[in-house]
Amino acid sequence: MLLLPSGLVAPSQRTIAPFALHRPGSVAEAVTAGALPGAVYAQGCSDLFAQFREGLRCESLVALDRVDGLTEVAARDGALLIGSGVAHHDGAHHAQVRAALPSFAAAWGRIANHRIRQRATIGGNLMARRTRYEMSVMLQALGARLLFHTPEGPLELDAAALWDRPEPHGALLTSVVVPDTGGVWFGYERSMRPLATAAVAVRGDEVTLTVGSEYTRPHTVRLALGEDPARAAAALPDTVGDAAASAEYRRHLAGVLLRRLLDARTDELKEAM
Ligand SMILES: Cc1cc2nc3c(=O)[nH]c(=O)nc-3n(C[C@H](O)[C@H](O)[C@H](O)COP(=O)(O)OP(=O)(O)OC[C@H]3O[C@@H](n4cnc5c(N)ncnc54)[C@H](O)[C@@H]3O)c2cc1C
């Protein structure tokens, strides 16, 4: 074991205590198993390995790979529904995702590396709740909703609510819903990662900017199309800053990235004319 300021960290998986394995076939069975004390859901396990090394207590692992419906992708009433078990590679290359939100699909295809993208899922990326992971930044800007099945029944949350941990133990994320895909322009900038990433969604005259970083939860501001990006980014709260970059510097970066993305949108519109 290593002693770090954050506590004891096991450098290998050999120190993991034995646990029971559940392999449910339906959402209902998964939630029943997931509600047990010490139960942990598992999808691609790419983050769980790190969690085990960080000292995760797990009495039973609920593997979700056989659960019906979690890998579904569907377009419904202008919204795009993505199952929580859709792997990064599959989602980024899915015909319906590419047709509905081409730049989101392209951004999704750039996260992590090829090996991780084959196994790791959108649901695991969100539910790991690590500020350095990018899905919540993109989905927050897109106004996505998160659909859960919990031991108490269905639950629907705004993507931003994830960081408040409002759902009960045993809540299973089943899908992510992006509304009104027909009326949205989306852009994503990760060139300044890990200091700052920026996702922008434009719907009509309203621009939503969500700024992420390795170190703090994503923050969102809304502005009108045509408003000065630097002024809009200045409205980001002080909590956007931390020891790695002051709030003032992150606001500056956010303004630069926002301007870049809005310029890219203008160029695309000109090309399309
Ligand atoms: C080398 C490497 C590079 C990476 N690079 C990037 C990157 O550039 N950008 C980026 O955004 N991410 C990156 N990641 C993170 C990666 O995207 C996540 O590890 C991955 O998406 C997690 O998905 P998973 O299916 O493996 O989740 P798992 O590891 O199986 O689970 C992760 C967490 O989510 C919980 N969970 C899983 N599914 C559900 C569910 N349906 N309901 C409720 N809880 C659930 C689990 O209990 C666990 O706490 C990287 C990871 C690695 C290992």
Side-chain angles (χ1 to χ4, degrees):
M1 300 285 263
L2 301 175
L3 183 58
L4 297 181
S6 51
L8 290 171
V9 175
S12 108
Q13 274 86 253
R14 289 186 195 171
T15 51
I16 297 173
F19 52 77
L21 177 65
H22 294 274
R23 306 200 87 175
S26 69
V27 166
E29 285 170 18
V31 173
T32 302
L36 295 172
V40 172
Y41 290 124
Q43 279 194 139
C45 293
S46 64
D47 185 81
L48 268 180
F49 273 117
Q51 291 192 38
F52 275 118
R53 285 197 297 269
E54 290 160 3
L56 174 71
R57 244 193 80 249
C58 170
E59 283 164 32
S60 55
L61 198 71
V62 184
L64 300 173
D65 53 335
R66 295 183 185 167
V67 174
D68 252 0
L70 295 187
T71 54
E72 184 192 7
V73 175
R76 272 185 213 147
D77 304 326
L80 181 68
L81 180 145
I82 305 171
S84 66
V86 174
H88 297 328
H89 174 87
D90 299 341
H93 291 86
H94 198 286
Q96 257 165 329
V97 180
R98 291 170 81 141
L101 293 169
S103 36
F104 170 71
W108 193 358
R110 281 194 288 272
I111 68 175
N113 59 42
H114 183 71
R115 185 178 61 83
I116 295 297
R117 284 197 291 269
Q118 300 292 322
R119 280 199 66 81
T121 63
I122 185 170
N125 188 289
L126 292 166
M127 296 309 291
R129 292 187 169 94
R130 297 203 194 255
T131 51
R132 66 176 181 271
Y133 293 176
E134 297 163 82
M135 265 301 158
S136 74
V137 180
M138 295 192 245
L139 292 172
Q140 199 167 311
L142 283 165
R145 310 284 298 165
L146 309 181
L147 308 191
F148 291 88
H149 274 259
T150 81
E152 285 88 42
L155 175 72
E156 185 173 331
L157 293 177
D158 194 82
L162 193 68
W163 299 96
D164 303 322
R165 295 179 172 257
E167 74 283 1
H169 172 72
L172 175 76
L173 178 68
T174 52
S175 52
V176 172
V177 178
V178 181
D180 182 26
T181 56
V184 68
W185 181 90
F186 176 79
Y188 184 61
E189 254 289 352
R190 69 199 294 271
S191 58
M192 292 305 293
R193 195 167 178 256
L195 276 192
T197 56
V200 168
V202 183
R203 283 191 167 93
D205 280 345
E206 189 183 84
V207 180
T208 305
L209 163 70
T210 301
V211 179
S213 91
E214 177 138 357
Y215 319 98
T216 57
R217 65 182 278 175
H219 290 283
T220 292
V221 283
R222 291 194 172 76
L223 55 141
L225 204 53
E227 209 178 307
D228 176 13
R231 272 193 58 185
L236 284 163
D238 282 345
T239 43
V240 79
D242 55 33
S246 67
E248 195 187 352
Y249 184 59
R250 280 240 175 76
R251 288 185 192 115
H252 165 72
L253 273 184
V256 170
L257 297 176
L258 173 60
R259 186 182 299 279
R260 200 180 283 172
L261 286 165
L262 291 175
D263 286 350
R265 174 180 173 274
T266 306
D267 291 346
E268 269 179 37
L269 291 177
K270 275 189 199 149
E271 270 173 38
M273 278 177 15

